[in-house]
Amino acid sequence: MIPLRDTQPSHHFPVVTVGLIAVNVLAFFYQISLDEFSLNHFVAEYGLVPRRLQLTDFVTNIFLHGGWWHLIGNMWFLWIYGDNIEDILGRGKFLLFYVLCGVAAGLVHVLFNLDSRVPTIGASGAIAGIMGAYLVKFPHSRILTLVPVIIFITTMEIPAWLILLYWFVLQFFSGVGTIGQSHLNQGGVAWFAHVGGFLAGIALIYLLRPQAKYRGRQDLRW
């Protein structure tokens, strides 16, 4: 299933969301401008390596990506869900929220991969936090989704709570399936980073609290 857009309107232009997308795209263009040796060094230096922890890596890794589809997928999810969370938190809080979710995702990944020397990169942990917050604040929004049905592909509107919980369960059990494999030092998807980011987003949307002028609007709507 591929989400295409949500039905939840935002009331302001998502400046920070667009800015984050721009920074990620620019960082990726810088990555692909490097030769192979320089790129490997760059990723090793600024990616999150559990065996060699550097505090700055918890932030820098969330602005790097491993390929075009990695970048496009993450930025697409950020665009779909980010504008509404930015709308209710405000720009400053949303940027803080995004970074904290990314850091939390990194911490969880490290806890499950303490011996790994493989650099982890990608914004998916931070974006998972946005999805967790969206589940809490906009559970009844509808997500227009591309769905394969046998040999056909169709679109349908799926409740946000259903598609987000499905996504979370998929990440969790995929992560459980990789437990004990970190010693192999092989690349792959950081499933538990997604889980950690998602749960962090649920917690942080309560801690940071949406702007007062939106709390009443949401209560009336949902």
Side-chain angles (χ1 to χ4, degrees):
M1 295 190 295
I2 302 174
L4 301 177
R5 61 175 175 81
D6 69 334
T7 60
Q8 179 67 36
S10 55
H11 292 248
H12 299 90
F13 183 76
V15 174
V16 175
T17 299
V18 171
L20 287 169
I21 292 172
V23 170
N24 278 277
V25 170
L26 289 173
F28 183 71
F29 279 136
Y30 175 74
Q31 287 179 245
I32 62 176
S33 73
L34 300 173
D35 61 74
E36 184 176 357
F37 176 82
S38 298
L39 176 59
N40 289 336
H41 177 75
F42 181 77
V43 170
E45 181 66 24
Y46 294 104
L48 180 61
V49 182
R51 190 70 180 267
R52 179 226 62 198
L53 285 182
Q54 298 178 162
L55 292 181
T56 55
D57 295 345
F58 282 98
V59 176
T60 56
N61 88 92
I62 66 177
F63 294 98
L64 306 178
H65 288 85
W68 281 105
W69 287 116
H70 191 202
L71 174 73
I72 291 170
N74 277 346
M75 295 305 99
W76 187 251
F77 274 62
L78 176 55
W79 174 251
I80 291 174
Y81 299 108
D83 61 327
N84 298 117
I85 303 304
E86 178 179 347
D87 204 31
I88 63 172
L89 283 178
R91 294 169 183 170
K93 278 187 180 180
F94 177 69
L95 182 58
L96 176 63
F97 172 89
Y98 183 86
V99 172
L100 289 177
C101 286
V103 170
L107 286 170
V108 173
H109 173 71
V110 168
L111 287 175
F112 280 91
N113 298 273
L114 291 173
D115 293 328
S116 176
R117 298 183 179 87
V118 179
T120 298
I121 57 175
S124 51
I127 296 166
I130 292 174
M131 294 166 68
Y134 196 102
L135 173 65
V136 171
K137 304 309 294 184
F138 304 105
H140 302 297
S141 174
R142 315 287 289 188
I143 309 297
L144 182 66
T145 307
L146 200 64
V147 180
V149 180
I150 308 177
I151 61 173
F152 301 101
I153 296 178
T154 187
T155 59
M156 60 179 64
E157 289 189 352
I158 301 175
W161 67 266
L162 180 59
I163 197 167
L164 291 171
L165 283 178
Y166 168 80
W167 182 89
F168 176 77
V169 169
L170 183 64
Q171 306 308 301
F172 178 80
F173 283 105
S174 296
V176 169
T178 65
I179 290 177
Q181 297 181 17
S182 63
H183 68 281
L184 299 176
N185 284 308
Q186 296 175 342
V189 178
W191 301 109
F192 279 115
H194 300 171
V195 171
F198 192 92
L199 296 177
I202 291 175
L204 286 168
I205 198 65
Y206 288 110
L207 292 174
L208 294 179
R209 296 176 61 82
Q211 301 176 86
K213 62 182 177 180
Y214 292 126
R215 288 201 292 271
R217 186 192 75 191
Q218 284 182 278
D219 290 342
L220 289 173
R221 179 172 295 176
W222 306 121

